[in-house]
């Protein structure tokens, strides 16, 4: 086990545990987004999805390089010597892989595992569950090497979702145990570096794999190998007694489980949670709209642009620094101006990110990459700030359950809403404008809901202060009467 070196919340033990959880998160997100980055290569090997006409770079000349993409018939495409007909990587099969095959399983299993963790936390270690989840994800990635059909790919994608679903709710609860409220925002921000590092690394692996002679299946092996190492580190170096130290006085009796369900009901009665959920759904819709359409957008409007390393740089630099700075600033604001200031900061950053998203779509690369870096810096403050708020306004006994429930509805709705881009594109006949309506548009709406969520909190603070003032006035009055 890692020994504690006294440095407040940021002692050696806590820093190591947070690093290990963040690495597991990175690996999970790489496995999640690899299909978005390598969809065309996967479709061509496993033969699924829509067809399209492509330029044969070895035969095409400069005069007809732009003609192939406009051809919609196999026969006409075949008559053009510089074109060829092949799988595009798009279609309903791809949409199932990118969305429902992952999102539905991920969010459902996260709820079940988190409820199991909360209700049986004295008998089932969260650390063991994290190690097992990471091992399941790594095993599914390793089995990708044996995939020979589309449905085998769907099943393994579901297994990857089960493995990753363990990470967020359980790590969120462990971070709440390890770090005090004054440091929790930064800790959550560092943990959610996994989203941006994983997203960027997935595109580097997926886009550049063929250029350096790596098969798409091998990219999953690259994820599996360190995943098994992290799983072992969870099991053998993470303190299994951590949660029992926090819940030493809790017993897993039937009566206490009834109290747990009562506390779930009390937390559900908080209107702030419902407003935050609506805002988070719209924010998730905005973010995944861009994630699912990133490569397709650049293939349509900027096919010659080398996206991989640019996207990784924008995601890693803007996203990681933004989420860390967001957690740090929200911690400072909360300590100085009170708890609701976290949500004011969240609303401000989300609103600012909307015009930056629009700039990413409007300008050509590499200028658009500058807007994308700035977008990630402001927009990606939301995860750390939001989940810090959630763990602070729900009962500690049901933190894992609520994080999982929140993720369930956020992902089930927000994770599937990006499909509205397709009908909007068909209606408007403008792919860029369809993205503009959904991506920056949902950011604006979510920022307004985050702002709205601050009002119940400020009102509660006002009521508490008035009650304290009234009690103090009563004490002063009684003292004056007694002295007279």
């Amino acid at each position: 086990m890692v020994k504690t070196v006294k440095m407040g919340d940021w002692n050696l033990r806590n820093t190591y545990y947070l690093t290990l959880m963040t690495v597991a998160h990175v690996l999970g997100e790489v496995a999640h987004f690899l299909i978005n980055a390598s969809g065309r290569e996967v479709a061509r090997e496993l033969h699924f999805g829509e067809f399209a006409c492509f330029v044969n770079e070895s035969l095409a000349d400069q005069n007809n390089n732009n003609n192939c993409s406009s051809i919609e018939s196999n026969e006409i495409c075949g008559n053009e010597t510089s074109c060829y007909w092949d799988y595009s990587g798009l279609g309903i099969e791809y949409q199932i892989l990118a969305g429902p095959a992952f999102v539905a399983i991920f969010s459902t299993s996260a709820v079940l595992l988190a409820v199991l963790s909360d209700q049986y936390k004295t008998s089932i270690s969260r650390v063991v569950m994290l190690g097992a989840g990471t091992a399941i994800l790594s095993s599914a990635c390793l089995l990708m090497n044996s995939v020979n059909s589309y449905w085998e790919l769907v099943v393994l994608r579901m297994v990857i979702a089960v493995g990753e679903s363990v990470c967020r709710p359980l790590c969120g609860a462990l971070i709440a145990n390890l770090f005090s409220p004054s440091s929790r925002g930064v800790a959550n921000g560092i943990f959610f570096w996994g989203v941006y590092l994983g997203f960027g690394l997935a595109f580097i692996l997926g886009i550049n794999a063929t250029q350096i002679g790596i098969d798409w299946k091998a990219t999953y092996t690259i994820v599996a190998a360190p995943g098994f190492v992290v799983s072992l580190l969870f099991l053998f170096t993470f303190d299994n007694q951590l949660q029992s130290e926090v819940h030493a006085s809790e017993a897993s009796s039937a009566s206490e489980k009834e109290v747990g369900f009562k506390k779930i009901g009390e937390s559900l009665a908080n209107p702030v949670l419902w407003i935050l959920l609506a805002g988070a759904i719209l924010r998730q819709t905005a973010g995944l709209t861009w994630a699912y359409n990133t490569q397709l957008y650049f293939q349509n409007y900027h096919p010659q642009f080398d996206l991989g390393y640019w996207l990784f740089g924008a995601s890693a630099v803007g996203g990681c620094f933004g989420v860390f700075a967001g957690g740090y600033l929200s911690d400072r604001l909360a300590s100085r101006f009170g708890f609701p200031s976290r949500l004011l900061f969240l609303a401000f950053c989300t609103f600012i990110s909307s015009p930056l998203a629009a700039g990413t779509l409007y300008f050509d690369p590499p200028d658009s990459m500058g807007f994308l870096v700035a977008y990630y810096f402001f927009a990606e403050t939301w995860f750390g700030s939001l989940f810090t708020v959630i763990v602070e306004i729900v009962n500690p006994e049901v933190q894992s359950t609520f994080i999982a429930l929140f993720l369930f509805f956020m992902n089930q709705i927000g994770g599937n809403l990006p499909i509205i881009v397709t009908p909007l594109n068909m209606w408007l006949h403008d792919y860029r404008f369809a993205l503009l309506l959904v991506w920056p548009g949902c950011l604006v709406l979510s920022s307004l809901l985050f702002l709205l969520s601050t009002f119940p909190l400020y009102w509660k603070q006002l009521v508490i202060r008035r009650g304290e003032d009234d009690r103090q006035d009563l004490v002063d009055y009684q003292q004056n009467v007694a002295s007279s």
Side-chain angles (χ1 to χ4, degrees):
M1 301 299 175
V2 178
K3 296 182 178 179
T4 302
V5 177
K6 297 293 185 181
M7 295 186 299
D9 281 345
W10 296 99
N11 55 59
L12 181 60
R13 184 193 72 161
N14 289 4
T15 303
Y16 169 74
Y17 290 162
L18 180 60
T19 301
L20 194 60
M21 289 186 284
T22 303
V23 172
H25 198 188
V26 170
L27 295 174
E29 291 301 317
V30 173
H32 178 187
F33 287 111
L34 267 176
I35 193 65
N36 303 105
S38 58
R40 181 172 292 175
E41 289 73 21
V42 178
R44 289 179 177 178
E45 179 170 334
L46 300 183
H47 300 209
F48 67 85
E50 297 178 352
F51 286 89
C53 192
F54 297 92
V55 176
N56 189 332
E57 300 290 347
S58 62
L59 298 175
D61 56 49
Q62 295 182 352
N63 294 326
N64 57 14
N65 269 346
N66 296 323
N67 294 333
C68 299
S69 60
S70 62
I71 299 175
E72 299 180 356
S73 167
N74 183 11
E75 183 178 354
I76 298 175
C77 182
N79 291 331
E80 296 289 336
T81 58
S82 61
C83 303
Y84 68 98
W85 189 254
D86 207 343
Y87 291 95
S88 67
L90 302 178
I92 188 62
E93 292 90 346
Y94 167 76
Q95 295 298 333
I96 290 173
L97 282 172
F102 187 91
V103 171
I105 302 300
F106 173 84
S107 50
T108 302
S109 60
V111 172
L112 296 176
L113 290 167
V115 171
L116 186 70
S117 170
D118 278 339
Q119 294 300 316
Y120 300 98
K121 53 181 164 282
T122 56
S123 57
I124 302 177
S125 170
R126 286 173 177 159
V127 174
V128 172
M129 292 177 70
L130 278 172
T134 307
I136 289 171
L137 182 145
S138 301
S139 299
C141 289
L142 192 62
L143 287 172
M144 282 288 187
N145 288 278
S146 62
V147 166
N148 292 310
S149 69
Y150 171 76
W151 291 109
E152 291 175 354
L153 181 64
V154 171
V155 170
L156 286 178
R157 179 116 170 114
M158 291 178 175
V159 177
I160 288 174
V162 172
E164 189 182 356
S165 68
V166 179
C167 190
R168 287 192 188 178
L170 269 62
C171 287
L174 288 172
I175 288 171
N177 292 341
L178 289 166
F179 295 91
S180 65
S182 63
S183 302
R184 204 170 288 156
V186 173
N188 275 310
I190 292 173
F191 173 71
F192 281 105
W193 279 359
V195 176
Y196 319 109
L197 291 173
F199 178 72
L201 286 171
F203 274 81
I204 285 182
L205 285 175
I207 294 175
N208 297 313
T210 55
Q211 297 179 4
I212 58 177
I214 297 178
D215 181 66
W216 68 268
K217 293 179 180 179
T219 60
Y220 285 91
T221 306
I222 294 172
V223 177
F228 285 118
V229 174
V230 170
S231 176
L232 292 174
L233 290 175
F234 270 129
L235 295 174
F236 294 105
T237 67
F238 213 110
D239 189 356
N240 284 321
Q241 301 302 316
L242 177 63
Q243 67 192 58
S244 63
E245 291 173 4
V246 178
H247 304 287
S249 62
E250 296 181 7
S252 57
S253 64
S255 60
E256 292 210 350
K257 290 173 186 175
E258 290 178 4
V259 173
F261 287 115
K262 181 180 178 182
K263 290 184 179 296
I264 291 176
E266 291 174 355
S267 297
L268 284 173
N270 189 339
V272 176
L273 274 176
W274 295 100
I275 300 172
L276 287 175
L277 177 60
I281 287 171
L282 289 170
R283 176 61 186 81
Q284 184 78 335
T285 300
L288 289 181
T289 295
W290 174 242
Y292 291 166
N293 291 276
T294 302
Q295 189 169 0
L296 183 59
Y297 169 78
F298 280 95
Q299 284 177 341
N300 273 272
Y301 293 101
H302 312 289
Q304 304 303 320
F305 182 66
D306 188 6
L307 178 63
Y309 289 102
W310 280 99
L311 187 62
F312 174 75
S315 177
V317 175
C320 292
F321 186 73
V323 76
F324 178 81
Y328 176 81
L329 291 173
S330 68
D331 283 343
R332 302 287 78 77
L333 289 170
S335 64
R336 184 168 182 179
F337 300 106
F339 174 70
S341 61
R342 287 189 192 274
L343 293 175
L344 284 176
F345 177 73
L346 175 60
F348 169 77
C349 289
T350 306
F351 183 80
I352 292 297
S353 66
S354 180
L356 296 171
T360 302
L361 296 173
Y362 179 79
F363 291 96
D364 294 333
D367 296 339
S368 61
M369 293 294 104
F371 283 89
L372 188 60
V373 171
Y375 160 77
Y376 278 124
F377 176 79
F378 283 98
E380 304 310 337
T381 60
W382 80 292
F383 255 120
S385 299
L386 179 63
F387 283 93
T388 299
V389 169
I390 292 171
V391 297
E392 290 184 3
I393 64 177
V394 302
N395 288 295
E397 295 86 350
V398 291
Q399 283 173 344
S400 290
T401 299
F402 259 91
I403 293 173
L405 284 170
F406 202 92
L407 286 168
F408 175 81
F409 289 107
M410 186 181 79
N411 285 313
Q412 286 287 8
I413 303 173
N416 290 308
L417 272 179
I419 64 174
I420 66 175
V421 171
T422 299
L424 279 174
N425 183 29
M426 295 174 64
W427 178 47
L428 298 169
H429 301 288
D430 190 331
Y431 182 44
R432 177 181 276 143
F433 190 55
L435 287 176
L436 191 68
L437 288 176
V438 182
W439 183 22
C442 285
L443 288 170
V444 171
L445 293 176
S446 66
S447 69
L448 295 177
L449 287 170
F450 290 145
L451 178 63
L452 180 63
S453 68
T454 63
F455 291 104
L457 293 175
Y458 276 117
W459 176 257
K460 183 178 180 180
Q461 280 191 347
L462 181 61
V463 171
I464 292 173
R465 287 173 183 172
R466 284 180 177 175
E468 291 174 349
D469 291 341
D470 290 342
R471 285 193 294 271
Q472 186 61 44
D473 290 341
L474 179 61
V475 171
D476 292 341
Y477 173 77
Q478 291 173 341
Q479 289 176 345
N480 291 332
V481 171
S483 62
S484 61

